C-alpha cells in the first residue's frame, strides 16, 4: 500500500513537474543497443532497473519523493515531456493490481487488456485529451514492474521496444 501511495504521488507530481523531468538527463551508463531493431537507443541502468532508452528520450532515475529510489525510472520525450513511460518496481502483486483498478475507476472508457512485450503484461488502457495512456504490470522473478504511460499505446513500437528490453534485479 505504501508503494501505491508513492506511485500515485509520483504520477501527479510528474504531470505537474514535467519540465523538471525534461531538463534532467543521464543516469548510470549502459550499453548501446536495442531490443527492437526499429527503435534505436541506448540501454541504461539505474538501481534495480535496466532498460532501453530510445533516441529522443530522457532518462531519469528516482522520483520527486526520493531522488535515489533504485526502483523508479522515468523516460520522457525530449521534445514533449508529457509523453512518458514511468517504470516502478513493486514487491507486491496486490499493489500492482490495485493500481490498475484505481486507474480503471478514474478513467472513463478505460479497458482491461493484456499484451506481449518481452513478457505478458496486464493493463488498463484509456485515452486522455486525445492521446493514448495506459497502466500495466508484469512479474519479473517475484517482483512486479508497474508501467504508467501517457502518449504511447501498448502496441506502439517504442512501448514494445522499451518493455521488451526491461530487466529487473531480484530483491535482496
Amino acid at each position: 500500500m505504501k508503494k501505491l501511495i508513492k506511485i500515485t504521488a509520483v504520477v501527479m507530481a510528474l504531470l505537474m513537474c514535467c519540465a523538471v523531468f525534461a531538463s534532467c538527463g543521464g543516469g548510470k551508463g549502459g550499453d548501446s543497443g536495442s531490443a527492437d531493431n526499429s527503435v534505436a537507443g541506448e540501454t541504461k541502468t539505474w538501481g534495480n532497473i535496466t532498460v532501453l532508452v530510445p533516441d529522443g528520450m530522457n532518462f531519469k532515475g528516482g522520483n520527486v519523493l526520493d531522488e535515489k529510489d533504485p526502483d523508479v525510472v522515468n523516460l520522457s520525450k525530449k521534445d514533449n515531456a508529457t509523453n512518458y513511460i514511468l517504470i516502478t518496481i513493486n514487491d507486491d502483486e496486490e499493489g500492482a493490481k490495485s493500481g490498475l483498478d484505481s486507474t480503471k475507476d478514474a478513467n472513463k472508457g478505460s479497458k482491461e487488456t493484456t499484451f506481449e512485450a518481452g513478457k505478458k503484461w496486464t493493463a488498463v488502457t484509456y485515452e486522455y485529451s486525445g492521446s493514448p495512456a495506459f497502466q500495466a504490470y508484469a512479474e519479473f522473478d517475484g517482483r512486479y514492474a508497474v508501467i504508467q504511460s501517457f502518449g504511447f499505446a501498448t502496441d506502439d513500437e517504442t512501448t514494445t521496444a522499451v518493455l521488451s528490453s526491461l530487466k529487473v534485479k531480484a530483491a535482496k
Side-chain angles (χ1 to χ4, degrees):
M1 190 65 176
K2 193 174 186 182
K3 280 270 189 182
L4 177 61
I5 292 168
K6 279 186 176 183
I7 291 168
T8 303
V10 168
V11 171
M12 290 187 300
L14 178 65
L15 293 174
M16 293 175 8
C17 301
C18 64
V20 172
F21 288 112
S23 67
C24 297
K28 294 182 181 175
D31 302 323
S32 293
S34 171
D36 180 339
N37 291 334
S38 64
V39 177
E42 182 179 356
T43 300
K44 293 188 177 186
T45 299
W46 169 265
N48 297 317
I49 301 168
T50 300
V51 67
L52 172 72
V53 180
D55 291 344
M57 292 189 82
N58 290 312
F59 173 86
K60 171 92 171 90
N63 63 45
V64 296
L65 298 175
D66 181 358
E67 291 183 354
K68 295 181 182 185
D69 189 334
D71 289 330
V72 179
V73 164
N74 183 56
L75 306 176
S76 60
K77 280 190 169 182
K78 288 181 179 177
D79 63 352
N80 184 357
T82 61
N83 291 345
Y84 67 90
I85 298 172
L86 177 66
I87 304 165
T88 305
I89 307 306
N90 195 325
D91 292 323
D92 177 19
E93 184 178 16
E94 189 57 39
K97 284 181 181 178
S98 69
L100 260 59
D101 292 339
S102 298
T103 297
K104 184 178 177 188
D105 292 344
N107 295 284
K108 186 177 180 181
S110 62
K111 296 177 182 150
E112 294 180 37
T113 189
T114 59
F115 65 97
E116 293 287 331
K119 295 205 172 255
K120 183 177 180 180
W121 293 84
T122 302
V124 170
T125 62
Y126 58 100
E127 193 172 290
Y128 184 79
S129 295
S131 292
F134 71 90
Q135 182 165 339
Y137 78 92
E139 182 182 0
F140 287 78
D141 297 322
R143 299 190 86 197
Y144 298 86
V146 177
I147 308 300
Q148 295 166 315
S149 178
F150 178 76
F152 299 97
T154 56
D155 61 353
D156 184 279
E157 68 180 6
T158 299
T159 300
T160 301
V162 168
L163 298 187
S164 293
S165 76
L166 184 59
K167 292 178 180 54
V168 177
K169 285 185 185 173
K172 292 182 179 183

